[in-house]
């Protein structure tokens, strides 16, 4: 069965994303993919898709979408007002929509990203083994850009048999305005003098409005300073915290470059990285340093929960 929807309003920033573009960082290609892996797993489970299936990632403002066929959908992530033909609906449960239905997702009030999954195989071309849009280079997703009015998304599905699923309450995150994110030491952590390391772990950071899918910029009144040493370009991955000149840290995210020339003072553990995919300017962040052994244990627990 063929299915499709038309974009009536693409919101602030809606793109096609999936589990990411793995294996191309040595060519300078970012991993991309969803910013919130936790919500991504939940939303694909709601509709019975494979774990690496594409979804729509909506940032700050959802959008309006008209379905031109019946479909099984799911929404998860940040908290927003959701209506289907003006009737209130909930995220984190399987939804059945019919041809002609209009789905409206309002401003995201808690968190900053919400995800829409649709049962079926989307008719989008993979670029380097991924459906994910990477806007700076204009490839992936739908024409390498954010969705806009008039765009069509098509898919094929074998069945619309409905198995209504609901995400267990224990897996639905609470979006606190203050979060403590766990870290492991980065390769240049010791480049910070002892007093600067203590200051970093005691600081509550604000989020800059210049943050995006490439990196979360942290605001601090007095910048951090490393011991003067020569820093050569070195590999970086999502979660690395870089300290550029000026002393305001940047947490690299999914669209970040693969090589950087700033000290890598720490790395957000994999089990907490999805939390940063939901922070915006109203949030405050602080950090806690843990061991690599503990970080691996927490990542395993997170995967088992899902």
């Amino acid at each position: 069965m063929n299915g499709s929807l038309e974009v009536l309003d693409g919101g602030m920033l809606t793109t096609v994303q999936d589990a990411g573009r793995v294996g191309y960082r040595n060519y300078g290609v970012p991993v991309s993919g969803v910013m919130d892996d936790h919500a991504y797993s939940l939303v694909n489970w709601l509709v019975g898709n494979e774990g690496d299936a594409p979804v729509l990632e909506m940032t700050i403002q959802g959008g309006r979408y008209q379905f031109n066929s019946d479909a099984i959908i799911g929404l998860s992530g940040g908290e927003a007002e959701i209506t289907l033909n003006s009737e209130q609906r909930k995220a984190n449960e399987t939804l059945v929509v019919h041809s002609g239905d209009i789905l409206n997702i309002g401003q995201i009030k808690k968190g900053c990203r919400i995800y829409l999954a649709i049962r079926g195989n989307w008719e989008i071309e993979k670029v380097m083994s991924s459906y994910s849009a990477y806007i700076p280079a204009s490839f992936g997703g739908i024409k390498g850009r954010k969705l806009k009015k008039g765009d069509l998304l098509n898919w094929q599905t074998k069945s619309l048999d409905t198995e209504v699923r609901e995400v267990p309450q224990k897996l639905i995150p609470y979006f606190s305005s203050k979060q403590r994110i766990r870290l492991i030491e980065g390769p240049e952590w010791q480049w910070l003098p002892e007093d600067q390391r203590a200051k970093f772990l005691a600081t509550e950071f604000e989020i800059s409005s210049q943050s995006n899918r490439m990196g979360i910029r942290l605001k601090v009144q007095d910048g951090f300073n490393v011991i003067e040493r020569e820093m050569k370009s070195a590999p970086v991955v999502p979660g690395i915290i870089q300290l550029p000149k000026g002393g305001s840290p940047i947490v690299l995210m999914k669209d970040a470059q693969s090589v950087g020339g700033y000290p890598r003072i720490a790395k957000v553990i994999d089990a907490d990285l999805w939390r940063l995919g939901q922070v915006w300017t109203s949030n405050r962040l602080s950090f806690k340093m843990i061991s690599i052994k503990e970080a691996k244990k927490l990542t395993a627990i997170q995967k088992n929960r899902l």
Side-chain angles (χ1 to χ4, degrees):
M1 290 178 283
N2 296 325
S4 72
L5 66 74
E6 179 181 353
V7 178
L8 303 180
D9 179 356
M12 177 178 174
L13 175 62
T14 299
T15 59
V16 175
Q17 299 293 336
D18 61 11
R21 189 167 280 111
V22 179
Y24 297 90
R25 293 182 64 80
N26 56 322
Y27 300 109
V29 180
V31 65
S32 297
V34 292
M35 291 279 279
D36 180 350
D37 296 283
H38 181 83
Y40 174 64
S41 296
L42 297 179
V43 79
N44 270 325
W45 174 79
L46 284 172
V47 301
N49 280 349
E50 296 293 328
D52 59 351
V55 297
L56 295 185
E57 177 183 89
M58 308 172 198
T59 303
I60 306 298
Q61 182 75 31
R64 295 178 67 241
Y65 308 90
Q66 180 169 323
F67 286 83
N68 300 323
S69 58
D70 295 353
I72 306 298
I73 70 170
L75 292 144
S76 191
E79 297 180 14
E81 183 177 281
I82 300 166
T83 61
L84 189 62
N85 301 326
S86 300
E87 295 184 5
Q88 294 282 341
R89 305 304 294 264
K90 295 195 304 180
N92 295 304
E93 63 179 32
T94 306
L95 299 175
V96 179
V97 297
H98 301 288
S99 182
D101 285 355
I102 295 178
L103 175 69
N104 186 78
I105 303 163
Q107 183 176 355
I108 301 172
K109 301 174 182 177
K110 292 185 179 180
C112 71
R113 291 180 174 88
I114 193 166
Y115 295 86
L116 169 65
I118 304 169
R119 181 185 295 176
N121 297 314
W122 293 18
E123 294 180 354
I124 297 176
E125 183 181 356
K126 281 188 174 183
V127 178
M128 288 176 276
S129 306
S130 173
Y131 298 104
S132 292
Y134 178 51
I135 293 178
S138 301
F139 65 75
I142 294 179
K143 300 181 180 179
R145 57 167 171 76
K146 66 180 183 180
L147 270 63
K148 63 181 182 180
K149 182 178 179 180
D151 282 339
L152 292 175
L153 177 63
N154 301 298
W155 62 87
Q156 293 184 350
T157 183
K158 294 179 179 179
S159 171
L160 290 176
D161 293 341
T162 308
E163 178 188 353
V164 176
R165 294 178 170 181
E166 187 170 352
V167 174
Q169 188 63 40
K170 66 180 181 180
L171 293 181
I172 300 176
Y174 171 71
F175 293 102
S176 173
S177 61
K178 295 184 178 182
Q179 295 200 48
R180 197 173 192 194
I181 302 298
R182 292 164 291 192
L183 309 171
I184 57 174
E185 293 183 7
E188 287 77 50
W189 173 246
Q190 297 299 327
W191 288 22
L192 282 170
E194 185 175 353
D195 65 322
Q196 293 282 289
R197 297 197 298 268
K199 175 186 171 184
F200 180 83
L201 296 175
T203 299
E204 185 175 85
F205 295 91
E206 296 182 19
I207 309 297
S208 168
S209 60
Q210 296 180 4
S211 301
N212 52 34
R213 283 182 48 88
M214 295 182 70
I216 296 174
R217 296 177 177 270
L218 305 179
K219 295 168 61 176
V220 61
Q221 289 184 345
D222 299 317
F224 297 89
N225 299 302
V226 297
I227 298 170
E228 195 68 33
R229 296 183 182 178
E230 182 182 359
M231 178 69 195
K232 296 181 179 180
S233 293
V236 292
V237 295
I240 282 286
I241 301 180
Q242 287 188 312
L243 188 62
K245 293 179 180 179
S248 295
I250 301 173
V251 187
L252 300 185
M253 297 301 288
K254 294 299 185 72
D255 280 352
Q257 71 278 9
S258 58
V259 175
Y262 297 125
R264 302 158 296 175
I265 59 173
K267 184 191 180 299
V268 175
I269 69 170
D270 291 345
D272 281 1
L273 189 57
W274 66 271
R275 297 181 183 276
L276 294 183
Q278 292 290 357
V279 301
W280 194 234
T281 54
S282 61
N283 294 108
R284 301 293 182 270
L285 294 180
S286 60
F287 297 104
K288 176 184 178 181
M289 193 68 72
I290 65 173
S291 68
I292 294 176
K293 181 179 179 180
E294 187 177 358
K296 289 181 177 179
K297 180 180 178 181
L298 290 168
T299 297
I301 291 173
Q302 171 74 1
K303 289 181 178 179
N304 288 336
R305 290 182 69 201
L306 297 174

